[in-house]
Amino acid sequence: MPLESAAPAVRAVGEPTVKFGAFLDGIQSSHTEYNGRNGVPIVGGTVAAVIRRRADRVLHAWPGSPKILHAFYAPFAIIGESAVAWLRTGGIELVDTLERGDPPEARHPMELLALARNAVQRNRERLEVELAEAWCSSEAEPLFVDGGISGARNASQSELAVGVVKSHRTLYATPESLGVITALAVGMRTASFEIRPKHRTTVASWYLRLRDPRGRDPLFGLVRVEIARDSWSADRADQVSRWVLAERAPVSLPDKRWSTMAYGIRDCEEYLRAHL
Amino acid sequence: MSILGRVVATERKPNTPHEFHFWTALDSPVGIGTIVRVESAQPVNGALPVVYGVVVEGFGYTDVETPLHEVLGYDGAPGGEAGAPTKRTEIRLYSAAVLRHVPEEPLQPVAMGTVHLASDEDVAVALRMDAYLAPGASTGIPVGMYRSGATSSPVWLDADFLLGPEAAHLNISGVSGLATKTSAVEWLLASIFAHFPEKKGRVAAVCFNVKGPDLCFLDQPAAKLDDADRALYDRLGVPAEPFKDVEYYAPYTAKGYALNTLRSNEALAHNVKPLTWGLREVLQYAEVLLNKDDVDAKADALIDFIKERVVDQTFEDPKYLSTAHTVQSFGELERWFRDLLTGMEKQNAESWRTHHVATIRKVRNRLTNISTRCRGLVTDDGTVSDLPFGEFRDRAIYVVDVANVEADAQDLIFSRIVSTLREHLEKRSLGVEHVIVFVDELNKYAPSDGPDTYVRAMLLDIAERGRYLGLVLFAAQQFRSQVHRRVVGNSGTALFGRMDPDELATPGYATLSPATRTKLSTLEKGQLMVRHPHFSQPVFVRFPRPAVLSGREGVERFPQAAEQTLDEAVTRALRSLDRSITLEWVKESIALAEEDEVLRARNRTVQTRPDDVKAYFRGQLKRRVRAEPADARPRQPLKKSPTDDPYGF
């Protein structure tokens, strides 16, 4: 649902302004630890999230982070109680990959593997949400969050959390506005709109072009920004856009996503990789 | 002590038993030459290993893969840097060479661990100084202060490895004009004199001043010694004062009036003595001055004959010589040659005692020429004024000023003094048990290439065998690579001041890391890199300014005396023995004497140092009847001439 008039379709946001006080990101890794009876995969997964606070242009881990969780992911009902009991002897957290009420019948191993990976991802998101909530409840500076913020109940309603989505598997655009998005010039944003995901919080969002796409694909340097719906105003959208634009330097090369990835987010990932 | 860094090893950059790597915070005080201690948490044989190392290389880099990424990041505008809200992740990675493992065995690659700045005690252990700094049995000689961050630790050399007998000799390299070589030697001599253990015997130094006024004011206090210097002296236990016992020796100028030294100011004349030798002293080292191509075996045989059969004894040969000769000076040798050749000509003889007349003429030419080539040092009349061999004093410095002397004479002086020192040390009759011989410009005396000279052979001999005798060579040069490798190779201790980059590119420095070489080429005044047998790796130290007046300041404060007349030169020389002697007295005394005779009388008086200087000096001059005016009165002829004498007039 649009929040602004479609005319003009694009707006110049002004000169970049440095404002973010910290960056939040998480990473995950998983691999099959054991193949149980009938090829049921038991997945070992590690998830981690960190807030890197910026002070005097240098990033440091925010107290309370990183959060790291090692766990085994398995369909308890399928591997059986004895196997679950044996896994518990390792002292590592166990996560059931089956939803409550799922039938405990044999399934395709790849399906079970996908269930495990989804569980790993949920845990990673959970850690990110925990950190985002903690930041918004205790700090006063804006937080640059990698990805959407609608999954965090409190943070998504805070003025401090700004979600920046780099991937565009889902494009929030009508056939008419798609051309506007792909033709967006550097430093311009689209009109804002509301996103109302199922089971998540409604947020305000818009597209912003960080880098010149000429000679590249149409989504090069394009991000989608999310802020709390209640905090939205056109001026605030411009203001937040200026903050995001300021994070284009330094570039995040050699990461392949460098056109849309803030250096602070890359720093979070490098930091977490060093810890896993 | 807080953790400075952490050891890191990768497959590309693995740790070894002799090298390890560690990273630090960006603001750490680590630099090239910093000594660190590594504590490992992994026990080996039940003990936690501790490793000491010295930083030899440093690396810094960010997460930028190529410089092009930075260009892209700032759109090609370097000024955009200020706008970057976040600094890139940056690393300081250092490589350190292992100084010591504790325990020493098993010798393993350096394990992961925490890195700490070395404390005083750590520095002593790392450099193995704990072995010779035991209270009551210390043989330590402070060479300077190691500094890094808040750490400031004295670095000691082992006297047994500096002055023998275990190892010996010191070699100093550094570019000229940066107060490194001379200053370092002056400082180190002061340190040795303050710390050399008495039980190891007495020690003195003979310094050859080969250029300018460098060593001419060792007994005068420094013009400028700041608080930092004094603090260093205090910490290292060396008195910040000039040398108390210094004697200067210099040959005369070619004219023979004054000593050929920049220390000619009358206020400093009390301890400046002439260095003059006669025929006997020079003939012993004739080969120093005679070109080997010039003097063949036949000439050599004749010189030997003269040394053994002619000099210092009465020599008769009625067949060829008109008279008996007692040859004790170059003048008498010349007369002997002339008489012999005249006798041979008269008898039309082609040879004399198997020596061909041509050989005799050649040897005559070469030998008598020495007194001309070394005028001022070699006396025709055999007067000798020498270093006090046999009476050397403990902690005394004898400076031989050869800065203004011809190269031939320098070689002769150097060879004879060092050889005489060696002879006395062999007989234990020098007066001290250890002598430090300091010579600058070693590349001139012991070059790595060129003809094999007597001086070089002698230096090689000292370098290889001197330590057993207590004869220790402290040598300096700009370019170590141009010095004979056996001379520098036998120097147990080496000091390096600021070095010329071209010199550092020579193979002799290949064992140093590029960073260490860079540091060497940018060293400040007062900094040295030290190699010593106990140190596994070179270390950098800082030493204080010498507490003596520098040559440049010395010539300003004590200007060189103006050129003297003969009267003035004699007056000055004699006044050092008897203050009552005046210029008028000298003028009156030498009024009738020839110049050579006056100089001979002066030299003998100065050498003899008689109680009654005036009487002795006058006694050396030939007695002459004073001329009187002719009587003007007319004399009466004994007999008148006849007036008619036709032949009278």
Side-chain angles (χ1 to χ4, degrees), chain B residues 393-621:
Chain B
R393 295 182 297 277
D394 190 23
R395 268 79 173 168
I397 295 182
Y398 304 90
V399 179
V400 182
D401 192 352
V402 292
N404 300 322
V405 176
E406 294 295 321
D408 283 346
Q410 280 192 0
D411 287 355
L412 178 63
I413 290 170
F414 187 70
S415 303
R416 183 174 179 275
I417 288 180
V418 174
S419 298
T420 312
L421 287 172
R422 182 188 169 132
E423 286 166 17
H424 279 84
L425 283 168
E426 279 174 348
K427 295 176 196 162
R428 299 280 165 207
S429 63
L430 186 61
V432 295
E433 288 73 34
H434 303 271
V435 175
I436 297 162
V437 174
F438 171 57
V439 57
D440 201 352
E441 310 294 347
L442 187 63
N443 45 327
K444 180 178 161 190
Y445 298 106
S448 55
D449 49 14
D452 196 15
T453 64
Y454 186 90
V455 174
R456 186 167 78 172
M458 192 188 60
L459 283 167
L460 280 170
D461 188 60
I462 298 175
E464 288 168 348
R465 282 177 282 278
R467 65 190 170 108
Y468 300 111
L469 300 171
L471 185 56
V472 181
L473 181 66
F474 279 19
Q477 69 284 315
Q478 272 206 68
F479 305 116
R480 186 180 161 95
S481 62
Q482 292 175 11
V483 177
H484 198 289
R485 57 190 299 180
R486 276 161 59 201
V487 175
V488 292
N490 277 291
S491 286
T493 304
L495 305 180
F496 300 84
R498 187 188 290 188
M499 303 289 293
D500 184 273
D502 288 345
E503 168 71 1
L504 288 168
T506 58
Y509 301 88
T511 54
L512 299 176
S513 70
T516 306
R517 289 201 292 267
T518 302
K519 179 159 180 169
L520 270 179
S521 68
T522 56
L523 276 185
E524 293 174 16
K525 280 183 181 178
Q527 277 193 308
L528 291 172
M529 188 180 81
V530 183
R531 272 184 171 160
H532 189 58
H534 286 291
F535 308 163
S536 315
Q537 297 291 333
V539 292
F540 288 93
V541 299
R542 184 178 291 274
F543 67 95
R545 277 194 195 93
V548 301
L549 194 61
S550 73
R552 193 185 307 162
E553 291 162 338
V555 291
E556 285 172 11
R557 187 180 296 178
F558 300 103
Q560 198 173 4
E563 195 172 348
Q564 297 167 337
T565 62
L566 179 64
D567 307 335
E568 289 165 346
V570 172
T571 305
R572 182 168 161 178
L574 298 185
R575 271 176 64 82
S576 68
L577 304 174
D578 181 350
R579 302 298 295 175
S580 71
I581 288 173
T582 62
L583 181 62
E584 287 69 32
W585 181 86
V586 171
K587 280 183 175 172
E588 185 188 338
S589 302
I590 67 174
L592 300 177
E594 299 290 332
E595 183 176 301
D596 286 352
E597 187 188 353
V598 173
L599 292 175
R600 193 180 308 124
R602 177 200 63 180
N603 294 349
R604 285 186 177 157
T605 308
V606 169
Q607 181 193 12
T608 309
R609 305 179 76 83
D611 291 335
D612 187 345
V613 176
K614 289 179 179 175
Y616 187 88
F617 177 72
R618 280 190 164 162
Q620 298 302 310
L621 300 171

Side-chain angles (χ1 to χ4, degrees), chain A residues 24-27 47-51 64-69 123-131 268 271-272 276:
Chain A
L24 165 62
D25 195 11
I27 64 169
V47 296
V50 67
I51 289 177
S65 67
K67 284 178 174 287
I68 300 173
L69 174 65
N123 265 347
R124 193 254 298 161
E125 288 171 354
R126 177 168 62 84
L127 294 188
E128 290 175 352
V129 166
E130 284 174 12
L131 282 177
C268 290
Y271 177 86
L272 291 172
L276 297 190

Side-chain angles (χ1 to χ4, degrees), chain A residues 18 23 54 56-59 211 246-254 258 263 266-267, chain B residues 63-65 68-70 72-75 80-90:
Chain A
V18 179
F23 299 82
R54 183 159 58 196
D56 195 20
R57 299 177 63 215
V58 177
L59 297 168
R211 299 183 191 278
E247 299 303 329
R248 290 177 299 182
V251 291
S252 298
L253 283 165
W258 69 274
Y263 183 81
R266 179 168 192 270
D267 178 84
Chain B
D63 53 4
V64 170
E65 199 168 65
L68 200 57
H69 291 170
E70 276 291 273
L72 282 173
Y74 294 107
D75 283 336
E81 168 105 23
T86 308
K87 286 181 184 170
R88 285 190 175 279
T89 304
E90 190 177 348

Side-chain angles (χ1 to χ4, degrees), chain A residues 71-206:
Chain A
F72 284 142
Y73 297 81
F76 289 2
I78 298 174
I79 63 174
E81 286 183 9
S82 59
V84 171
W86 176 77
L87 285 171
R88 285 193 197 287
T89 59
I92 294 178
E93 186 172 330
L94 292 182
V95 178
D96 189 356
T97 56
L98 295 178
E99 296 288 328
R100 191 174 297 168
D102 281 352
E105 58 207 28
R107 295 193 187 183
H108 193 290
M110 296 310 288
E111 185 192 352
L112 294 172
L113 199 58
L115 285 175
R117 284 177 180 156
N118 289 341
V120 172
Q121 183 175 339
R122 282 197 299 278
N123 265 347
R124 193 254 298 161
E125 288 171 354
R126 177 168 62 84
L127 294 188
E128 290 175 352
V129 166
E130 284 174 12
L131 282 177
E133 307 281 31
W135 176 272
C136 293
S137 64
S138 61
E139 299 290 344
E141 291 177 298
L143 175 68
F144 188 117
V145 179
D146 186 51
I149 57 170
S150 61
R153 182 180 299 276
N154 296 323
S156 63
Q157 296 176 56
S158 165
E159 286 190 351
L160 299 181
V162 175
V164 179
V165 182
K166 307 188 293 292
S167 62
H168 305 289
R169 282 191 292 272
T170 304
L171 268 174
Y172 294 87
T174 60
E176 296 78 38
S177 63
L178 188 59
V180 174
I181 293 172
T182 55
L184 207 56
V186 179
M188 306 290 278
R189 71 172 177 87
T190 62
S192 305
F193 49 89
E194 241 180 33
I195 297 177
R196 294 176 173 172
K198 203 174 169 185
H199 308 306
R200 294 191 173 204
T201 311
T202 298
V203 293
S205 184
W206 63 91

